[in-house]
Amino acid sequence: MDFTDQTVIVTGGTRGIGRGISEAFLKKGATVIATYAGNDSAAMKMKEANTEFGEKIIVKKCDVRSEEAVIDFFKYVEDSHPKIEVLVNNSGIRKDQVTAMMTLADWNDVIGTNLTGTFLMSKHAVLQFMKNRYGRIVNMSSIGGSLGLPGQANYAASKAGQIAISKTLSKEVAKRGITVNNVCPGFIDTELLADLPPEQIKEYMKEVPMKRFGKVEEVASAVLFLASREASYITGASLEITGGL
């Protein structure tokens, strides 16, 4: 899986799983444009930690919920990197609450970032991919989209929606050499788990047949494969990284 001379966009690519994915692509020779929503400090720390890759690591602020922001972002990409090969839709947030108590604002924030962001980034990436008759889109969905964990109606809906979009889009662009797939992590050891109550973390651990949480590197390896040229006959698929859930 060699990504030398390829340009890869990773949304939410400066923290957590997104950072792991960005760094995995860098190690395989890619130029990576990692977007982030607003945490300038984390973005700069991520870039500083990867100075060995020089100009191949670019961090760029972009609100994936806004089509205006996404259009501006792709104008920048087209001007500076006229050919892109890979888009990883990793931007995601979680605002848990039981459905009866969930606010419309929390519903809209999660759907907007996780699902609308995937739609907008994919829409504008495909327009560039089609020119070159090649492209790879990998959506970072979640096992939560099928499990439907309590308190996650907004998150589960957004993640199930990513899979639905992928199935449709994969059929629309297949003849152009573009594939669209999903990676569905289970419980991965990141800051998204760290903010849960200790008792809940223990209960989640019990549910995993392997009796451990996954590592970011294990998720990144799956993304690299689906984004590679070697995965040319896989599209509309979802790969679960769950430890057997």
Side-chain angles (χ1 to χ4, degrees):
M1 293 183 288
D2 183 7
F3 292 89
T4 302
D5 298 326
Q6 292 194 37
T7 299
V8 177
I9 297 169
V10 183
T11 68
T14 62
R15 295 195 302 162
I17 290 176
R19 175 172 175 170
I21 292 168
S22 295
E23 292 174 342
F25 275 112
L26 287 167
K27 290 172 184 175
K28 293 294 184 179
T31 294
V32 175
I33 305 172
T35 78
Y36 66 101
N39 193 329
D40 296 316
S41 175
M44 291 305 107
K45 285 180 181 178
M46 182 268 191
K47 185 169 184 178
E48 288 167 5
N50 289 282
T51 52
E52 63 187 284
F53 299 106
E55 295 182 357
K56 286 195 169 186
I57 174 63
I58 300 155
V59 295
K60 192 79 174 170
K61 188 180 291 187
C62 178
D63 182 357
V64 298
R65 301 169 300 176
S66 162
E67 185 158 32
E68 182 179 354
V70 171
I71 288 172
D72 287 344
F73 171 76
F74 275 99
K75 282 181 181 175
Y76 156 77
V77 171
E78 195 166 12
D79 290 342
S80 57
H81 299 85
K83 188 179 179 185
I84 57 171
E85 284 80 14
V86 180
L87 166 66
V88 180
N89 283 309
N90 173 74
S91 287
I93 60 172
R94 208 188 69 228
K95 292 189 175 182
D96 295 356
Q97 181 59 273
V98 293
T99 306
M101 300 296 291
M102 185 177 292
T103 66
L104 181 59
D106 284 352
W107 171 271
N108 287 338
D109 282 348
V110 172
I111 295 295
T113 300
N114 301 5
L115 188 54
T116 304
T118 294
F119 159 67
L120 290 173
M121 291 297 296
S122 298
K123 170 184 173 180
H124 290 281
V126 160
L127 294 174
Q128 294 205 28
F129 289 157
M130 289 175 74
K131 297 176 185 176
N132 302 313
R133 300 189 70 84
Y134 180 86
R136 298 281 186 267
I137 296 176
V138 181
N139 294 324
M140 298 306 299
S141 183
S142 169
I143 193 66
S146 57
L147 288 181
L149 296 173
Q152 292 191 348
N154 48 5
Y155 185 79
S158 70
K159 294 303 177 180
Q162 283 182 302
I163 293 174
I165 286 177
S166 300
K167 288 184 176 297
T168 296
L169 182 57
S170 66
K171 293 176 174 64
E172 294 172 345
V173 299
K175 290 182 179 179
R176 301 297 184 97
I178 303 167
T179 65
V180 189
N181 292 292
N182 305 278
V183 169
C184 301
F187 300 115
I188 308 300
D189 193 8
T190 69
E191 64 267 20
L192 280 178
L193 282 182
D195 65 358
L196 294 174
E199 312 79 47
Q200 192 170 358
I201 291 177
K202 288 180 182 177
E203 287 303 311
Y204 284 160
M205 184 81 77
K206 289 178 184 177
E207 295 176 20
V208 181
M210 285 190 174
K211 301 306 175 187
R212 69 173 177 87
F213 293 148
K215 300 174 183 176
V216 169
E217 295 82 3
E218 293 170 314
V219 178
S221 294
V223 175
L224 287 177
F225 170 64
L226 290 175
S228 70
R229 295 187 183 277
E230 289 82 354
S232 56
Y233 201 57
I234 303 172
T235 194
S238 296
L239 177 58
E240 295 184 358
I241 316 293
T242 67
L245 275 175

